[in-house]
Amino acid sequence: MAKKLRNPKKENLSLWNSYHSMKKRCLNPNCKRYKDYGGRGIEICEEWLKGFDEFADWAKVNGYRNGLTIERKDVNGNYEPNNCMWITRQQQAFNKRDSIFVTYRGQTKDLMVWCNEMGLMYDTIHNRITSGWSPEKAFESLANEKSFAQLCREHGLKPATVRDRVYKLGWDLEIALNTPSAGLGANQQTYMRRTL
């Protein structure tokens, strides 16, 4: 005789679906998403593998409510109590392996979240952070209201030139913006800094 669940499926359908979807992603090689979870070594803790009740008990005392999804704080970590939380689908869209996490004033958040909260242009801030600016400088610079393209135009440069200087040549964005172009085209001499 099957043991009686403390958290019956019919009363916890959304949570039941989250639990079994998590198991499928991590344990079933035939699942489309297995390669991104179980195939990468993402595991489920032993406690939750004991059964749905153990998982549901944890969920209900750790912020679960209908409409939320389970999320791993460390996207490379396992499904376990100290690495999981319940968030909205919109929040989950920010937490991907290609997300950039930035620590600013003692808090670490996805760069997209910081930009949304602070009303900043994501492309501009992303370019600054990936060019080596500190979070303080990137977030607090007076030019935050301008897009990357606007900044390039103000400096009389094509965005492609500045982007090449930053990503291909490793220049700091400020130097890339403030170095005039020689206008020599694709031979890359246009990107070279002149030393005085």
Side-chain angles (χ1 to χ4, degrees):
M1 186 172 187
K3 81 173 187 178
K4 186 172 170 129
L5 290 173
R6 292 187 302 276
N7 301 283
K9 175 182 174 180
K10 67 179 182 180
E11 295 170 22
N12 298 278
L13 192 56
S14 178
L15 190 53
W16 178 272
N17 290 334
S18 290
Y19 177 68
H20 287 284
S21 293
M22 171 184 68
K23 286 178 64 178
K24 191 187 297 185
R25 290 191 300 270
C26 293
L27 304 173
N28 184 351
N30 296 321
C31 174
K32 284 183 181 179
R33 300 181 68 198
Y34 176 81
K35 66 178 176 26
D36 297 319
Y37 293 86
R40 287 200 308 121
I42 306 299
E43 299 178 346
I44 301 171
C45 69
E46 287 182 33
E47 180 68 18
W48 292 352
L49 285 175
K50 287 179 185 174
F52 175 67
D53 273 331
E54 286 71 18
F55 175 75
D57 289 344
W58 168 82
K60 289 178 178 182
V61 296
N62 284 280
Y64 174 77
R65 65 181 191 277
N66 279 340
L68 296 181
T69 64
I70 191 165
E71 180 71 348
R72 287 168 297 128
K73 297 172 189 173
D74 172 3
V75 294
N76 295 309
N78 293 328
Y79 283 101
E80 55 193 4
N82 64 354
N83 191 42
C84 290
M85 60 186 172
W86 296 98
I87 62 174
T88 65
R89 291 197 185 281
Q90 182 182 15
Q91 290 169 315
Q92 190 176 49
F94 295 133
N95 195 15
K96 298 178 180 173
R97 278 185 286 165
D98 59 353
S99 293
I100 297 174
F101 287 89
V102 176
T103 301
Y104 176 66
R105 295 186 177 174
Q107 289 189 315
T108 301
K109 299 179 187 178
D110 181 283
L111 183 58
M112 183 73 76
V113 173
W114 279 121
C115 290
N116 284 343
E117 288 179 359
M118 299 170 79
L120 302 175
M121 299 283 294
Y122 176 80
D123 288 344
T124 299
I125 304 303
H126 179 272
N127 280 315
R128 290 175 178 181
I129 295 288
T130 56
S131 298
W133 289 31
S134 70
E136 290 74 19
K137 183 178 176 186
F139 292 153
E140 296 168 10
S141 173
L142 295 176
N144 278 332
E145 67 279 357
K146 297 174 184 170
S147 71
F148 178 73
Q150 286 173 314
L151 289 172
C152 294
R153 279 193 298 276
E154 286 178 6
H155 288 82
L157 297 169
K158 293 181 180 177
T161 299
V162 177
R163 205 170 281 113
D164 284 348
R165 288 174 171 182
V166 170
Y167 292 110
K168 290 182 180 176
L169 302 174
W171 294 18
D172 179 88
L173 181 59
E174 204 164 355
I175 293 170
L177 285 169
N178 289 301
T179 302
S181 172
L184 300 175
N187 64 9
Q188 287 204 355
Q189 290 186 25
T190 188
Y191 303 129
M192 301 303 167
R193 277 187 288 180
R194 296 183 183 183
T195 53
L196 301 175

